[in-house]
Amino acid sequence: MPEALSLRQPIQFLKIDVEGFELHALESASKLFERNLVDNVLIEFGPHSRWMNTLDPLRYDKKERRRMTIKHCRRVLHQMTGPWGFDLYILPSDGFEATAELFKRLELDLTPDGTPGSFDNRVFHKLFAHDFNGKAFPADDPFAVKMKQMGYHVTDLIPLKKKYIDHYSNDLEDMGEIYLWAIRRDSPGAKIILEKTAMA
């Protein structure tokens, strides 16, 4: 990415949908991430076969392409959770239930620090609505009515902690496509948003 383009105003929300070139797109935006210019990234992510198609099958066999994409995936995700300063969450998508089942089978504990999860759930989190600007919708607004009916529950999500990245990268082919939400942990909205999460 040209230096001049990487010094623009901060980006609150970046959506990446590039049909198999997600890992390359994330790396190409590295200067934006290094300068803390992106608060949130939403990516259609995986499975391996999605990325394997970007490699020349005449040059690399299927096994080698799979190995290369897993290695590339791990590298990018560790960059995101490390130097680029993001926390990662998996949102409802084709691979959401399969991800939850994998994490439960591995008996992973994804409860927030100091927050006990129930015996049945140490994986799912719930994200609740927040009035960011103090200008809440009128009480009779259809969106406000729907939110109230849902107990202000916006979505479920599953944290992808740094220590589980390598394992998850290996199994991503079996998960199907996922939506990956990356939120910069020191961004202005991160604390507000994540305070509105609770164990399901």
Side-chain angles (χ1 to χ4, degrees), residues 138-161:
D140 60 348
D141 181 270
F143 179 78
V145 171
K146 184 68 173 177
M147 281 286 95
K148 187 174 182 179
Q149 290 172 348
M150 296 171 61
Y152 300 97
H153 171 224
V154 177
T155 187
D156 292 331
L157 46 79
I158 301 173
L160 179 56
K161 295 186 177 181

Side-chain angles (χ1 to χ4, degrees), residues 20-77:
F21 289 89
E22 293 80 14
L23 299 175
H24 300 282
L26 288 166
E27 289 183 321
S28 73
S30 61
K31 287 187 173 63
L32 294 172
F33 301 147
E34 289 165 1
R35 289 169 171 77
N36 296 329
L37 290 176
V38 181
D39 289 349
N40 296 274
V41 185
L42 183 63
I43 320 152
E44 288 189 13
F45 206 75
H48 301 137
S49 53
R50 182 186 182 97
W51 304 320
M52 286 167 60
N53 292 333
T54 67
L55 296 170
D56 185 353
L58 298 178
R59 186 175 179 184
Y60 307 105
D61 64 22
K62 185 176 180 179
K63 184 177 180 180
E64 179 65 7
R65 283 183 287 142
R66 177 183 167 86
R67 186 194 67 79
M68 291 169 68
T69 55
I70 291 174
K71 183 178 179 181
H72 195 185
C73 175
R74 287 177 174 177
R75 183 173 72 244
V76 170
L77 293 181

Side-chain angles (χ1 to χ4, degrees), residues 79-189:
Q79 279 286 107
M80 294 190 77
T81 56
W84 297 343
F86 288 97
D87 288 327
L88 303 178
Y89 296 89
I90 299 160
L91 299 176
S93 52
D94 290 347
F96 189 75
E97 292 297 330
T99 295
E101 289 305 313
L102 171 67
F103 285 3
K104 288 178 180 178
R105 193 165 63 249
L106 295 174
E107 299 183 349
L108 303 188
D109 187 350
L110 304 180
T111 54
D113 294 339
T115 303
S118 69
F119 177 78
D120 294 326
N121 175 46
R122 294 180 179 274
V123 174
F124 286 110
H125 292 223
K126 287 183 178 292
L127 180 65
F128 293 92
H130 184 86
D131 179 17
F132 283 98
N133 59 11
K135 299 177 181 178
F137 289 99
D140 60 348
D141 181 270
F143 179 78
V145 171
K146 184 68 173 177
M147 281 286 95
K148 187 174 182 179
Q149 290 172 348
M150 296 171 61
Y152 300 97
H153 171 224
V154 177
T155 187
D156 292 331
L157 46 79
I158 301 173
L160 179 56
K161 295 186 177 181
K162 184 176 179 66
K163 60 184 176 181
Y164 303 136
I165 284 174
D166 288 355
H167 195 132
Y168 190 62
S169 298
N170 286 342
D171 291 319
L172 195 53
E173 186 65 32
D174 298 326
M175 300 301 104
E177 183 180 272
I178 65 168
Y179 284 112
L180 191 66
W181 172 34
I183 180 168
R184 185 164 58 84
R185 64 181 67 99
D186 64 350
S187 64

